[in-house]
Amino acid sequence: MSEKPGKLGISFSFGAAGGEGGTSKLESSIGELGPSIAEAVEWVKKNASRDESGFGWYNLPDKDPSDVLKAAEWLRGYDSIIHVGIGGSALGNLMLHQALLPFYFNERPAGGAPRFYLADNPDPEKARAIWQRVKGSRAALVGVSKSGATAETMSQFLWFRSKMAAESGGSVDGDALVITDPKGGVFRSFANDTKCRSLEIPPSVGGRYSVLTPCGLVTASALGADIKALLKGAADMRDFLASAAGVEANPALFLAATHLFHERGGRPMTVLMPYANRLETFAEWFAQLWGESVGKEGLGTTPVRALGAIDQHSQVQLYTAGPDDKLYTLINVRNRAEEIELSTVSDSSLESLSYLSGRKLGVMLGFEAQSTAAALVKAGRPVVWIELDKIDAHTVGALVFFYEYVTAITGRLLGINPFDQPGVEQGKRYTYGLMGRDGFGKDAGEAGQYFERIKKLGVTA
Amino acid sequence: MSEKPGKLGISFSFGAAGGEGGTSKLESSIGELGPSIAEAVEWVKKNASRDESGFGWYNLPDKDPSDVLKAAEWLRGYDSIIHVGIGGSALGNLMLHQALLPFYFNERPAGGAPRFYLADNPDPEKARAIWQRVKGSRAALVGVSKSGATAETMSQFLWFRSKMAAESGGSVDGDALVITDPKGGVFRSFANDTKCRSLEIPPSVGGRYSVLTPCGLVTASALGADIKALLKGAADMRDFLASAAGVEANPALFLAATHLFHERGGRPMTVLMPYANRLETFAEWFAQLWGESVGKEGLGTTPVRALGAIDQHSQVQLYTAGPDDKLYTLINVRNRAEEIELSTVSDSSLESLSYLSGRKLGVMLGFEAQSTAAALVKAGRPVVWIELDKIDAHTVGALVFFYEYVTAITGRLLGINPFDQPGVEQGKRYTYGLMGRDGFGKDAGEAGQYFERIKKLGVTA
């Protein structure tokens, strides 16, 4: 059930497109999509070569990471890092840390690296819990927002800054790093004013495509991830996709077309289910990239984040026996960084478990992935199977670029703009209004009216 | 925008059912469902009173927790707890710990309680990372599986047991606690044989309804949660629901009917989005309860787990501007255990942030919840709004019972059995087959055939 991996160590399989005749239907749909796909490929290529707004992610693998490595070296001089950011300014960090750093519980970074705390949600309980752990230590404050206007991020950045300043009895802007737009925005003015450290998110790169900018790279590098290998993986994937002739030799185009086929065929959800804890937040990162890019103009499938084998005990009942309304992508890992061999089961009360004697835990996890895939196929559900030779910086960089490319192409095929997010503005205006910000009084009124509608029918317990 | 909370401190609002005329359509649909709802209520009541298989959760609030408290006291004598379990034997624990214990990063339990490690996924990297942290300390091993047959749990239980035994140089069964069926199964035989400690999951309670059995209660209690208040909250919610006259006065029946209305109306997803980090895994726990209970016979909506405000920067673009295919439930919290007041913004470069001066972070988070709800209503999406007076053991117990009841009633209204999970058996048999377990050879062959189908169309990178 396996084949040799290529240079990138990733194989993609698309042979189960739902039911008996599904695959040939998918193939003929891909044939019809041919010209649109060719147009989408050219669209990305041409705009990326001009570094047009939104397309900057395509060129990130070529950027010299010296400034990132220097900032990371500086960060390693601290005991703790408070990273303030949300959405695209947080998920990439979580994803890289989990995938590339050899610890799980956020409490003991390897090799004396700083402790890392992500202040993403503006929940006062979380923010205060972070401060409880950080106070009294030498702490660096990293603020990430392209616009410098994100209320959740700016409010927490200001609060941590004031707590740090109160503790030190003076300015702590020398302990701050802001990652933001090179020219505009509040964070940029702040950096200019305070002379604090700063790094740039290129103007042509949107938040959810920013993991390979300083936004995702700096803290990962500070904690020990090999970001050169990460960028090399992204570059190698880009080269591979650029040279793959035809849709059937190009897994990104194949996957984009597969998404379109299933969305149009009445499957409104796409499940990403890696079988490795280290990729748990990769699915979360993908969910943001996907949902915010393709969810517009009444189109777009909903990303569903899952984790194997855990969700076999939670979601697989629904996946195999509920409605046939999802495309499933399972990611398996061929060689795991650790393996565990079980000893012989000798207690007589455990005799029925003797099939576990001498078995390997990681091998079992791979069998579970195959079993779930097979059960889904048996139930007529469409399955895409991705197999990684191993999880390392090069492979993760390749996967990041792969999914960014798939997302951009799918958006173009749908006829929407995969680089904007007009649908989040309304909620932001309402919040400004409710916060009493000047100029948003009308929004506060409108928010109140819509909210009252919900409240019309209520029960108090 | 607020009303007085009642005895349980929870209010439920259903006034926005999607679009202009949505709410009156929902109300007339509820009218038509009247007799089916009455039948479903009777069905739960009658079967619960007989403690029929599957219905045991209804009676759990009445169980005397003395045995749980005794085991928790014993656990508090250890430095570390390794809890081995998956699905229903893990998610309830995560949920209770996050909601009720005052720490976030899994590294410093309050008041000298033991460190807690959950070995849920059989990923060798995770299991080994746990052992790295536990070895050398006085560790208790808690194994949870109703059947005692769950491969992921039994394999890890055996591995940790062997590591602990190798370290101590003798039997460590005195440091083990198994939580399992009172009569049948491998864990029960093991407990009888080794005389290790054991507690019971009542035979009438299924895994995903087991959070109020020792399965969820013991470790939460050991780490400091008030499980008596938790059980009291569940009992109070049960009494409230039993005495609420008519669907419109009974939020559980109203929500079940709302789910049915939207599933039949072409909305295949249900989003649960609490605005509080402490409820993040509550949405995860709900996703298992819901997906595995209602996802069968081609029916059932897909649970989508979200967290506010984080997912405003990830999923809300899709929620407001993508397809109208989801029911949204937002949970807000009126009084948060911590609040943060921002100081005055004085830097001139930060002038545009002056609207944050003196504002409270938790209040802002509540405004964000209202804003998202209002933006969804404006976009014609159906929204259910739940507001908790506060998050404490009593409220969480009430919410647990509430969602268990909603799930059971919804299943009955759909005409399926909300207490079984036949769809997970196929994958288990395939795994046994691939592992070489006696008697599953035919399954291994079948798994291979289905898996080969996926592999037929492949690209290697």
Side-chain angles (χ1 to χ4, degrees), chain B residues 367-385:
Chain B
F367 285 153
E368 296 204 61
Q370 289 184 9
S371 297
T372 299
L376 287 166
V377 173
K378 185 180 185 183
R381 313 295 151 107
V383 177
V384 173
W385 177 267

Short mmCIF file of all heavy atoms in Angstrom, two decimals, chain B residues 367-385:
data_model
loop_
_atom_site.label_atom_id
_atom_site.label_comp_id
_atom_site.label_asym_id
_atom_site.label_seq_id
_atom_site.Cartn_x
_atom_site.Cartn_y
_atom_site.Cartn_z
N PHE B 367 -19.07 42.75 23.35
CA PHE B 367 -19.51 43.56 22.21
C PHE B 367 -19.21 42.85 20.89
O PHE B 367 -19.99 42.93 19.93
CB PHE B 367 -18.82 44.93 22.21
CG PHE B 367 -19.34 45.90 23.24
CD1 PHE B 367 -18.52 46.91 23.74
CD2 PHE B 367 -20.66 45.85 23.69
CE1 PHE B 367 -19.00 47.83 24.67
CE2 PHE B 367 -21.13 46.76 24.63
CZ PHE B 367 -20.30 47.75 25.12
N GLU B 368 -18.08 42.18 20.85
CA GLU B 368 -17.73 41.45 19.63
C GLU B 368 -18.73 40.33 19.36
O GLU B 368 -19.11 40.08 18.21
CB GLU B 368 -16.32 40.90 19.73
CG GLU B 368 -15.29 42.01 19.82
CD GLU B 368 -13.93 41.57 19.35
OE1 GLU B 368 -13.79 41.19 18.17
OE2 GLU B 368 -12.99 41.60 20.16
N ALA B 369 -19.14 39.66 20.42
CA ALA B 369 -20.14 38.60 20.27
C ALA B 369 -21.44 39.19 19.72
O ALA B 369 -22.03 38.67 18.76
CB ALA B 369 -20.38 37.91 21.61
N GLN B 370 -21.87 40.31 20.30
CA GLN B 370 -23.11 40.95 19.84
C GLN B 370 -22.97 41.42 18.39
O GLN B 370 -23.92 41.31 17.60
CB GLN B 370 -23.45 42.15 20.72
CG GLN B 370 -23.91 41.75 22.11
CD GLN B 370 -24.35 42.96 22.95
OE1 GLN B 370 -24.46 44.07 22.44
NE2 GLN B 370 -24.60 42.73 24.22
N SER B 371 -21.80 41.94 18.06
CA SER B 371 -21.57 42.45 16.71
C SER B 371 -21.61 41.33 15.69
O SER B 371 -22.17 41.48 14.59
CB SER B 371 -20.22 43.16 16.64
OG SER B 371 -20.21 44.27 17.51
N THR B 372 -20.99 40.21 16.03
CA THR B 372 -21.01 39.08 15.10
C THR B 372 -22.44 38.57 14.93
O THR B 372 -22.88 38.29 13.81
CB THR B 372 -20.09 37.95 15.63
OG1 THR B 372 -18.76 38.48 15.71
CG2 THR B 372 -20.10 36.75 14.71
N ALA B 373 -23.16 38.47 16.05
CA ALA B 373 -24.56 38.04 15.98
C ALA B 373 -25.36 38.99 15.09
O ALA B 373 -26.11 38.55 14.20
CB ALA B 373 -25.16 37.98 17.38
N ALA B 374 -25.18 40.28 15.29
CA ALA B 374 -25.93 41.28 14.50
C ALA B 374 -25.55 41.19 13.03
O ALA B 374 -26.42 41.26 12.15
CB ALA B 374 -25.67 42.68 15.05
N ALA B 375 -24.26 41.03 12.73
CA ALA B 375 -23.83 40.93 11.33
C ALA B 375 -24.41 39.68 10.67
O ALA B 375 -24.78 39.69 9.49
CB ALA B 375 -22.30 40.93 11.26
N LEU B 376 -24.49 38.59 11.43
CA LEU B 376 -25.09 37.37 10.89
C LEU B 376 -26.57 37.58 10.60
O LEU B 376 -27.09 37.16 9.56
CB LEU B 376 -24.88 36.20 11.86
CG LEU B 376 -23.45 35.65 11.94
CD1 LEU B 376 -23.30 34.73 13.16
CD2 LEU B 376 -23.09 34.87 10.67
N VAL B 377 -27.27 38.22 11.53
CA VAL B 377 -28.70 38.48 11.33
C VAL B 377 -28.91 39.37 10.11
O VAL B 377 -29.78 39.12 9.27
CB VAL B 377 -29.34 39.12 12.59
CG1 VAL B 377 -30.78 39.53 12.31
CG2 VAL B 377 -29.29 38.14 13.75
N LYS B 378 -28.06 40.40 9.99
CA LYS B 378 -28.18 41.30 8.84
C LYS B 378 -28.01 40.52 7.53
O LYS B 378 -28.67 40.81 6.54
CB LYS B 378 -27.11 42.40 8.92
CG LYS B 378 -27.25 43.44 7.81
CD LYS B 378 -26.20 44.53 7.89
CE LYS B 378 -26.47 45.59 6.83
NZ LYS B 378 -25.43 46.65 6.83
N ALA B 379 -27.12 39.51 7.56
CA ALA B 379 -26.88 38.69 6.38
C ALA B 379 -27.94 37.61 6.19
O ALA B 379 -27.84 36.76 5.30
CB ALA B 379 -25.49 38.06 6.45
N GLY B 380 -28.97 37.62 7.05
CA GLY B 380 -30.07 36.67 6.90
C GLY B 380 -29.80 35.29 7.45
O GLY B 380 -30.50 34.33 7.13
N ARG B 381 -28.78 35.15 8.29
CA ARG B 381 -28.43 33.84 8.84
C ARG B 381 -29.14 33.60 10.16
O ARG B 381 -29.34 34.54 10.94
CB ARG B 381 -26.90 33.75 9.04
CG ARG B 381 -26.07 34.21 7.84
CD ARG B 381 -26.28 33.31 6.64
NE ARG B 381 -26.11 33.98 5.37
CZ ARG B 381 -25.06 33.81 4.56
NH1 ARG B 381 -24.09 33.00 4.88
NH2 ARG B 381 -25.02 34.42 3.38
N PRO B 382 -29.50 32.36 10.45
CA PRO B 382 -30.17 32.07 11.73
C PRO B 382 -29.18 32.03 12.90
O PRO B 382 -28.12 31.43 12.79
CB PRO B 382 -30.79 30.69 11.50
CG PRO B 382 -29.97 30.07 10.42
CD PRO B 382 -29.40 31.18 9.58
N VAL B 383 -29.56 32.68 13.98
CA VAL B 383 -28.69 32.78 15.15
C VAL B 383 -29.44 32.41 16.42
O VAL B 383 -30.54 32.91 16.65
CB VAL B 383 -28.13 34.21 15.30
CG1 VAL B 383 -27.28 34.34 16.56
CG2 VAL B 383 -27.33 34.63 14.08
N VAL B 384 -28.84 31.55 17.22
CA VAL B 384 -29.32 31.30 18.58
C VAL B 384 -28.31 31.94 19.52
O VAL B 384 -27.10 31.82 19.32
CB VAL B 384 -29.43 29.78 18.86
CG1 VAL B 384 -29.76 29.52 20.33
CG2 VAL B 384 -30.47 29.15 17.95
N TRP B 385 -28.81 32.63 20.52
CA TRP B 385 -27.93 33.36 21.45
C TRP B 385 -28.14 32.79 22.85
O TRP B 385 -29.26 32.74 23.35
CB TRP B 385 -28.31 34.85 21.43
CG TRP B 385 -27.56 35.72 22.37
CD1 TRP B 385 -27.93 36.08 23.64
CD2 TRP B 385 -26.31 36.39 22.12
NE1 TRP B 385 -26.99 36.94 24.17
CE2 TRP B 385 -25.99 37.14 23.27
CE3 TRP B 385 -25.44 36.43 21.02
CZ2 TRP B 385 -24.83 37.92 23.35
CZ3 TRP B 385 -24.29 37.20 21.11
CH2 TRP B 385 -24.00 37.94 22.26
#
